[in-house]
């Protein structure tokens, strides 16, 4: 839970929706294909669409397991159907990642304007029941809405930070990991070294 402007700056040219920094999205489709198609249909019915980077990531067998494989806190991919936003009429959220104890759950937030970004929350919106029996009380809607915290301006930005931060933790905490960090890890870590000095 750090202010976004305190995070290391990223090279926007590297985040082009193709996930080249993970080896690219070419190759066979993932097991998420049918689910993604259903999500796209649901979103299209309300005038929304998945951003290309999200669809490319979860549509690729090569990269779709990246979060699960690198997570040091037992996070796992778990895609939902579109969920109504408690914060904004017409917006939808798609859950895509959760930690093993559901302390933090990450959602793709889709606005009617076409803007898409990532939020996190300690609330599992699908089972929170805030919309199960008609319109929720305003205090319930407000509490659920206020639990949403913006954590990345795009899905690929989130993916990059998640992977790099977990890889850094693994490298720094691995026995016998005395060698130099990979350049992308070193530049990320340098940001914090400079801030500490």
């Amino acid at each position: 839970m750090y202010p976004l402007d305190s995070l290391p700056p990223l090279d926007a040219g590297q985040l082009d929706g193709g996930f080249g920094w993970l080896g690219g999205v070419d190759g066979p489709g993932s097991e998420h294909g049918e689910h993604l198609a259903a999500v796209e249909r649901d979103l299209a019915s309300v005038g929304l669409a998945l951003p290309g980077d999200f669809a490319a990531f979860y549509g690729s067998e090569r990269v779709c397991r990246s979060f699960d494989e690198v997570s040091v806190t037992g996070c796992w991919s778990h895609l939902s159907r579109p969920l109504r936003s408690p914060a904004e009429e017409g917006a939808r959220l798609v859950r895509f990642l959760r930690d093993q104890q559901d302390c933090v759950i990450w959602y793709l937030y889709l606005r009617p304007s076409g803007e898409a970004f990532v939020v996190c929350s300690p609330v599992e919106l699908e089972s929170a029941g805030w919309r199960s029996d008609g319109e929720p009380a305003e205090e319930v809607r407000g509490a659920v809405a206020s639990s949403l915290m913006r954590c990345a301006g795009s899905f690929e930005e989130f993916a990059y930070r998640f992977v790099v931060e977990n890889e850094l933790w693994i490298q720094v905490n691995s026995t016998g990991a005395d060698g130099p960090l990979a350049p992308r890890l070193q530049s990320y870590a340098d940001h914090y070294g400079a801030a500490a000095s």
Side-chain angles (χ1 to χ4, degrees):
M1 306 299 181
Y2 297 94
L4 293 179
D5 61 2
S6 73
L7 300 177
L10 301 182
D11 177 3
Q14 191 174 31
L15 307 179
D16 61 4
F19 295 89
W21 53 273
L22 278 176
V25 293
D26 296 336
S30 77
E31 75 267 12
H32 299 293
E34 286 184 28
H35 184 84
L36 288 172
V39 170
E40 287 281 21
R41 286 191 300 274
D42 291 350
L43 290 172
S45 72
V46 293
L48 298 172
L50 288 175
D53 57 356
F54 186 91
F57 182 91
Y58 278 108
S60 168
E61 181 65 26
R62 178 180 294 166
V63 300
C64 74
R65 292 186 185 89
S66 297
F67 298 151
D68 309 49
E69 291 169 352
V70 76
S71 175
V72 297
T73 56
C75 293
W76 50 289
S77 292
H78 190 218
L79 301 179
S80 73
R81 297 291 281 265
L83 307 165
R84 291 181 186 219
S85 170
E88 180 178 11
E89 194 61 40
R92 296 292 186 271
L93 295 99
V94 177
R95 182 195 61 238
F96 65 90
L97 185 68
R98 62 194 323 150
D99 80 357
Q100 65 181 348
Q101 297 178 339
D102 283 350
C103 296
V104 182
I105 301 165
W106 290 270
Y107 300 89
L108 180 66
Y109 194 103
L110 303 164
R111 284 195 155 141
S113 66
E115 182 183 12
F117 50 90
V118 175
V119 297
C120 63
S121 173
V123 176
E124 210 299 355
L125 297 176
E126 199 168 25
S127 61
W130 74 274
R131 293 205 58 101
S132 57
D133 298 310
E135 284 300 310
E138 201 52 45
E139 62 270 12
V140 172
R141 180 192 301 272
V144 175
S146 69
S147 78
L148 301 175
M149 297 183 61
R150 189 174 180 146
C151 58
S154 72
F155 176 77
E156 190 173 12
E157 176 189 332
F158 171 84
Y160 186 88
R161 291 189 189 284
F162 187 89
V163 169
V164 165
E165 289 169 9
N166 279 275
E167 287 178 343
L168 267 171
W169 191 96
I170 292 167
Q171 184 79 18
V172 169
N173 291 284
S174 293
T175 304
D178 296 329
L181 293 173
R184 72 177 180 174
L185 302 184
Q186 187 63 58
S187 65
Y188 206 88
D190 287 346
H191 173 80
Y192 292 109
S197 54

